[in-house]
Amino acid sequence: MALSRRDAMKFTGLAAVTAAVSGYAKGTEAPQSAAKGILLSPAPVPAAKGARVVIVGAGPSGLTIAKYIKKGNPKVDVVLMDKRSVFMSGFISNLVATGVLPLEFITHDFLEGARNGSYTFLQATVHDIDRTSKTVYTNEGTLKYDVLVLAPGIDYDYSKWTKGDLELETALKTKFPGAFIAGSETLSLKSKIDNLENGSVFVQTVPGGNYRCLPGPYERSCLIADYMKRNKIKGKVVILDENPNITIKADGFHSAFEKLYGDYITYMPSTTITSIDPHKQKIVTELGEEIDFTDASLYSRVRGNKLLEIAGVAKDSVFNKGEANIDPFTYQVIGDLNVFCTGDVRPMGFSKSANTANTEGKIVAANIVKYLGGEELSRKTWKSPLTVCYSGVSGDPLRAISVHAEYSYDETKKSFGFANAGTMEKWDGADGLAGGKGLIEWGNGLYRDFFN
Ligand SMILES: Cc1cc2nc3c(=O)[nH]c(=O)nc-3n(C[C@H](O)[C@H](O)[C@H](O)COP(=O)(O)OP(=O)(O)OC[C@H]3O[C@@H](n4cnc5c(N)ncnc54)[C@H](O)[C@@H]3O)c2cc1C
């Protein structure tokens, strides 16, 4: 029998061990997919008192789904898992890295969410999923589910730059992290910015494809230039953009680059990087340009989290590398209705952003409650998520521009596009200041919805 892609990964990546080794009696639920390093005893959570939903990933998507399933039907047993012990948001982290807001603003307590939402939080890393026996394998033990939600977010995809050279990839990740997965990378970015000095050349790359947070790299560039200006540092921010133009809120960012940061920001669109030397700190482009830099946040392309591949629910195409193979209207895995995939791993071209994951999470939670109640989900139950995104343009005073959009399905193109979209791109005057206030309120509103 031919090995499936998933089986092949298991046998090459993780050695299978027998039930006897793990202490499981023959004929019990000893998982055939058990692998070395995975604890096979049950995870330390109370026995399920009703149908159990296990959610992997406590980002904006998983946090919202956990809370709103319990609100929809308190009898459903919900276990939310994350490998992190503390929540740190990606959104608003550019303002923390540039010293405008304190780290506490974006740092939150998973346990508070669990207490207020009446669900169980388990800090654990998921290593494997067996969909036949409906079992999740973690470093804390195993969990059975009735419904599984996979919301593990993105992984970076360095292959375009490194062509599989792992030494280069590790050097890039360590020395110049993209800082689009919040945590240590956010702290690295902050220390890089704290160390800027006269003569600094800071490179910010913008990847192609549907990368996480379209305005994020432009927002960061503005805020670093603002930091240089405020601290009287004569430096440059060089934006190497793989795209032909700024991908969103282009008028607002272009006018900020020109009017606020003309002496600080160099914007280079349609720039394909052909080589990066992390030691000599030199980038060469397709057109032969050579850029020497003193520091950088090198944001590579992104892909769906590799956990989807391990679970055997990933697409593998150029456009949706590693993203979820789901029915775009119900979020259920094709061929396995008990598994839902949400947030930044969805293959629909929705903005990979927190507000989108939050509003989508409420819709998916309501659908899971219906599904557990015996209802069939279909295209008729689909609703659009709402993208709302503020981007800081300067830190002092705090000024921001914003975008809002819903989505609709285009039958001809067989894909989703923006609907009811609008932007506020005036960063100067009262509009920009109101945008700054709106940004703080928007962020606090999301944290409240996740944890209170
Ligand atoms: C710098 C930056 C700026 C941003 N700016 C904005 C903005 O202005 N507006 C906006 O709306 N959005 C913004 N975003 C994007 C937003 O943060 C993401 O789109 C959002 O976090 C996606 O939510 P998610 O729940 O799908 O994934 P994530 O937030 O990535 O959460 C996934 C969770 O899964 C956990 N996990 C992964 N694998 C495992 C495993 N095997 N076992 C256990 N746990 C696992 C991870 O630890 C993580 O906590 C920004 C992001 C960054 C980094």
Side-chain angles (χ1 to χ4, degrees):
M1 195 178 75
L3 282 179
S4 69
R5 181 178 170 72
R6 176 164 178 266
D7 290 335
M9 279 192 67
K10 277 190 207 317
F11 282 104
T12 53
L14 298 163
V17 293
T18 63
V21 171
S22 66
Y24 264 73
K26 242 185 173 172
T28 64
E29 293 166 337
Q32 289 154 353
S33 62
K36 213 173 191 172
I38 297 177
L39 201 59
L40 294 173
S41 50
V45 294
K49 291 175 196 74
R52 171 162 279 173
V53 180
V54 171
I55 304 169
V56 183
S61 183
L63 284 162
T64 308
I65 294 174
K67 171 175 168 177
Y68 281 88
I69 287 178
K70 289 301 282 186
K71 268 182 173 278
N73 182 353
K75 289 197 181 123
V76 178
D77 181 283
V78 175
V79 180
L80 174 64
M81 276 192 286
D82 205 288
K83 59 188 177 188
R84 300 192 287 177
S85 60
V86 170
F87 175 89
M88 201 190 274
S89 69
F91 62 91
I92 309 203
S93 67
N94 286 332
L95 285 162
V96 171
T98 47
V100 178
L101 291 173
L103 190 56
E104 290 73 36
F105 193 88
I106 59 168
T107 309
H108 294 264
D109 168 11
F110 284 128
L111 302 178
E112 187 186 10
R115 281 193 298 274
N116 292 331
S118 304
Y119 56 81
T120 302
F121 175 76
L122 176 68
Q123 190 198 338
T125 301
V126 174
H127 293 297
D128 199 4
I129 291 158
D130 184 342
R131 292 187 292 118
T132 311
S133 64
K134 295 188 176 176
T135 309
V136 175
Y137 298 95
T138 81
N139 64 317
E140 287 287 337
T142 62
L143 274 107
K144 291 271 185 191
Y145 64 83
D146 295 292
V147 163
L148 176 68
V149 179
L150 296 177
I154 57 155
D155 275 328
Y156 293 121
D157 175 11
Y158 278 81
S159 58
K160 210 163 182 271
W161 288 343
T162 60
K163 317 269 182 302
D165 178 344
L166 293 180
E167 216 161 295
L168 175 59
E169 181 171 327
T170 304
L172 294 177
K173 279 180 176 164
T174 311
K175 294 180 83 163
F176 309 109
F180 271 85
I181 297 178
S184 284
E185 295 183 24
T186 314
L187 303 181
S188 289
L189 178 64
K190 177 155 176 40
S191 84
K192 285 168 182 294
I193 294 169
D194 287 344
N195 285 313
L196 289 169
E197 53 190 20
N198 285 337
S200 287
V201 177
F202 189 97
V203 164
Q204 174 65 58
T205 57
V206 188
N210 187 18
Y211 62 90
R212 167 176 274 184
C213 189
L214 292 181
Y218 310 109
E219 174 191 62
R220 182 179 295 166
S221 302
C222 284
L223 294 174
I224 295 176
D226 176 63
Y227 177 94
M228 288 177 172
K229 220 171 154 178
R230 273 189 280 132
N231 291 286
K232 305 199 175 4
I233 296 166
K234 290 198 171 72
K236 283 259 176 227
V237 181
V238 179
I239 307 171
L240 304 182
D241 194 341
E242 210 180 308
N243 305 285
N245 194 4
I246 292 174
T247 51
I248 195 148
K249 299 178 241 187
D251 290 346
F253 282 122
H254 271 305
S255 84
F257 290 176
E258 282 158 28
K259 292 185 188 153
L260 282 175
Y261 308 120
D263 292 337
Y264 294 86
I265 290 182
T266 304
Y267 177 62
M268 296 173 61
S270 300
T271 300
T272 300
I273 292 172
T274 48
S275 77
I276 308 174
D277 186 330
H279 309 293
K280 293 190 180 141
Q281 303 189 185
K282 186 188 275 293
I283 290 173
V284 180
T285 74
E286 200 176 39
L287 298 177
E289 295 137 316
E290 293 188 4
I291 296 122
D292 295 300
F293 58 94
T294 54
D295 220 329
S297 75
L298 301 179
Y299 186 10
S300 71
R301 286 194 166 212
V302 306
R303 48 157 293 155
N305 189 294
K306 293 183 197 88
L307 187 60
L308 270 67
E309 230 167 290
I310 292 168
V313 301
K315 285 191 182 215
D316 196 7
S317 69
V318 176
F319 296 109
N320 298 107
K321 191 167 177 184
E323 291 177 343
N325 186 23
I326 52 173
D327 176 334
F329 298 104
T330 67
Y331 292 83
Q332 287 165 302
V333 163
I334 307 289
D336 190 347
L337 299 182
N338 298 313
V339 182
F340 293 69
C341 300
T342 62
D344 281 359
V345 296
R346 70 180 94 71
M348 300 81 94
F350 306 160
S351 153
K352 289 193 198 301
S353 61
N355 210 90
T356 316
N358 170 248
T359 51
E360 174 190 80
K362 291 177 196 176
I363 298 162
V364 173
N367 279 344
I368 290 173
V369 170
K370 281 186 201 155
Y371 178 67
L372 287 170
E375 271 185 59
E376 199 178 313
L377 305 178
S378 72
R379 192 167 168 169
K380 286 187 201 134
T381 56
W382 183 80
K383 283 189 200 149
S384 171
L386 174 66
T387 295
V388 176
C389 183
Y390 286 85
S391 304
V393 165
S394 68
D396 188 14
L398 179 55
R399 292 181 281 203
I401 55 181
S402 64
V403 60
H404 63 269
E406 291 181 304
Y407 301 88
S408 64
Y409 192 68
D410 185 327
E411 283 297 347
T412 338
K413 293 185 187 152
K414 299 272 177 257
S415 65
F416 291 90
F418 281 135
N420 310 318
T423 56
M424 196 295 284
E425 301 190 49
K426 280 181 73 181
W427 48 264
D428 51 352
D431 292 325
L433 294 173
K437 235 176 125 205
L439 183 155
I440 299 292
E441 282 164 12
W442 166 80
N444 277 327
L446 283 175
Y447 300 133
R448 264 196 311 276
D449 203 22
F450 299 155
F451 300 104
N452 293 349

